[in-house]
């Protein structure tokens, strides 16, 4: 019916029994992509509380964060964890995640958010662009049907979250009279942080449990990180990513066309690093 959102997908909708285990079990790269993502998504409640505190008093935002965004992010974590358990049952997810969470909690602080609510909504748009890009790339990087389905569902959720943050951003931009220059500064800074300590922290803790003999090998973890970045970059949907990234600037069409190339170069630099 018009005006009613379709019900959100459930983990039960995923047919784990159809996983082509033999095809993916030996794919170490895929294991790290899925396992590290499952950690970050499962820690979403820590981050949500910071945002709820930051936007307290704005009921529309805090209610959506609490009842929709957090629930969907945590569901992503559960679904990705279930996939890991089906394909790599020997991986001690719980122990590895506990270590990750202990460190990750130190990164989730209100003081690390942007200086104003409008700029924080800008930053949220960048983060959702990054996560949608990551899951689109994950879906493209594998022929395994169940993971393709799961990654595509998560990517669609991240695009939906982006639309909400963008709508909130526009309201705050008008209230705070934010200039394009300030918005651009936040987009640039937050894009450089996309491959942030969150992802490195997750990869490190997955590696610590997966390959304990190499836990202290910094070069090994850096290699892993570079491999995952390369997978994302190779399967990057550059056009869609650029469009999402630049949208908060609301540039005239001519200007947008003019700056597309340097922005694309910047994005490639981010995923190449």
């Amino acid at each position: 019916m018009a005006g009613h959102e379709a019900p959100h997908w459930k983990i039960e909708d995923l047919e784990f029994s159809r996983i082509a285990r033999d095809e993916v079990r030996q794919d170490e790269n895929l294991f790290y992509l899925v396992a590290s993502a499952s950690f970050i998504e499962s820690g979403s409640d820590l981050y949500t509380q910071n945002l709820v505190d930051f936007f307290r008093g704005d009921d529309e935002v805090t209610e959506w964060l609490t009842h929709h965004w957090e629930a969907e992010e945590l569901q992503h974590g559960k679904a990705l964890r279930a996939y890991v358990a089906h394909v790599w049952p020997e991986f001690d997810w719980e122990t590895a995640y506990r270590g990750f969470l202990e460190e990750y909690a130190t990164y989730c602080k209100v003081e690390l958010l942007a200086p104003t609510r409008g700029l924080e909504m800008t930053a949220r748009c960048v983060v959702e662009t990054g996560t949608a890009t990551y899951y689109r790339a994950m879906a493209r990087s594998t022929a395994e049907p169940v993971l393709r389905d799961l990654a595509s569902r998560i990517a669609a959720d991240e695009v939906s979250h982006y639309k909400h943050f963008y709508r909130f951003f526009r309201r705050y931009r008008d209230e705070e009279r934010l200039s394009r220059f300030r918005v651009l500064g936040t987009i640039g800074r937050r894009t450089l942080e996309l491959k942030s300590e969150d992802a490195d922290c997750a990869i490190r803790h997955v590696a610590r449990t997966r390959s304990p003999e190499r836990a202290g090998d910094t070069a090994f973890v850096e290699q892993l990180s570079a491999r995952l970045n390369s997978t994302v970059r190779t399967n990057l949907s550059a056009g869609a990513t650029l469009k999402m990234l630049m949208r908060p600037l609301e540039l005239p069409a001519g200007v947008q066309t003019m700056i597309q190339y340097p922005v694309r170069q910047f994005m490639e630099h981010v995923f190449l690093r």
Side-chain angles (χ1 to χ4, degrees):
M1 279 175 67
H4 287 269
E5 282 186 27
H8 191 254
W9 60 274
K10 301 187 290 294
I11 294 178
E12 294 74 43
D13 298 333
L14 301 163
E15 297 179 64
F16 289 117
S17 59
R18 286 178 55 237
I19 295 174
R21 280 183 84 228
D22 295 340
E23 280 180 33
V24 286
R25 195 167 152 68
Q26 305 309 315
D27 191 338
E28 205 66 0
N29 205 42
L30 205 61
F31 164 74
Y32 276 97
L33 273 176
V34 179
S36 56
S38 75
F39 281 13
I40 294 168
E41 298 280 4
S42 298
S44 298
D45 49 344
L46 286 174
Y47 213 90
T48 308
Q49 194 50 55
N50 287 345
L51 289 174
V52 167
D53 290 343
F54 192 69
F55 288 98
R56 197 168 297 287
D58 186 333
D59 294 346
E60 186 190 8
V61 171
T62 56
E63 280 173 24
W64 178 76
L65 286 169
T66 306
H67 300 298
H68 295 278
W69 189 66
E70 179 182 32
E72 289 177 15
E73 296 289 293
L74 291 174
Q75 182 180 307
H76 298 166
K78 281 180 188 162
L80 291 162
R81 177 184 178 175
Y83 190 90
V84 171
H86 273 77
V87 182
W88 299 279
E90 73 285 358
F91 178 67
D92 187 352
W93 192 94
E94 193 60 54
T95 298
Y97 178 67
R98 259 202 314 272
F100 161 78
L101 200 60
E102 204 176 306
E103 185 179 341
Y104 184 58
T106 66
Y107 305 149
C108 298
K109 293 177 180 163
V110 175
E111 55 267 31
L112 297 177
L113 299 179
T116 78
R117 289 179 167 190
L119 292 175
E120 181 53 34
M121 286 302 180
T122 309
R124 293 292 97 212
C125 287
V126 175
V127 172
E128 297 300 335
T129 299
T131 49
T133 298
Y134 183 90
Y135 288 110
R136 280 178 183 143
M138 185 188 284
R140 288 175 173 205
S141 73
T142 181
E144 200 289 297
V146 180
L147 184 57
R148 283 195 91 141
D149 178 32
L150 172 55
S152 299
R153 287 174 190 265
I154 297 177
D157 284 350
E158 303 297 1
V159 171
S160 169
H161 297 166
Y162 173 97
K163 288 174 182 172
H164 281 85
F165 283 124
Y166 178 68
R167 186 166 59 81
F168 299 143
F169 155 76
R170 293 188 78 188
R171 172 154 63 81
Y172 276 113
R173 179 200 58 197
D174 295 344
E175 280 177 24
E176 296 174 7
R177 300 186 176 182
L178 289 174
S179 68
R180 278 197 183 114
F181 183 75
R182 289 194 77 190
V183 172
L184 178 62
T186 299
I187 290 172
R189 271 192 305 279
R190 208 61 186 84
T191 302
L192 283 170
E193 291 166 9
L194 276 178
K195 292 214 316 295
S196 64
E197 53 198 7
D198 297 11
D200 288 341
C201 175
I203 292 165
R204 209 164 44 246
H205 285 279
V206 172
R208 199 167 286 170
T209 299
R210 179 73 163 173
S211 306
E213 72 286 354
R214 305 192 73 172
D217 187 343
T218 312
F220 171 65
V221 174
E222 283 173 1
Q223 263 178 354
L224 272 176
S225 185
R227 273 212 326 262
L228 301 195
N229 293 334
S230 175
T231 301
V232 173
R233 185 173 49 82
T234 306
N235 295 282
L236 193 65
S237 174
T241 301
L242 283 170
K243 196 173 168 188
M244 288 173 76
L245 205 57
M246 292 166 68
R247 197 174 175 198
L249 293 171
E250 292 187 355
L251 296 166
V255 179
Q256 191 151 320
T257 305
M258 236 165 49
I259 71 163
Q260 242 173 4
Y261 180 73
V263 172
R264 185 185 292 254
Q265 294 293 100
F266 176 57
M267 280 302 291
E268 287 193 357
H269 165 71
V270 168
F271 285 104
L272 266 167
R273 286 184 315 143

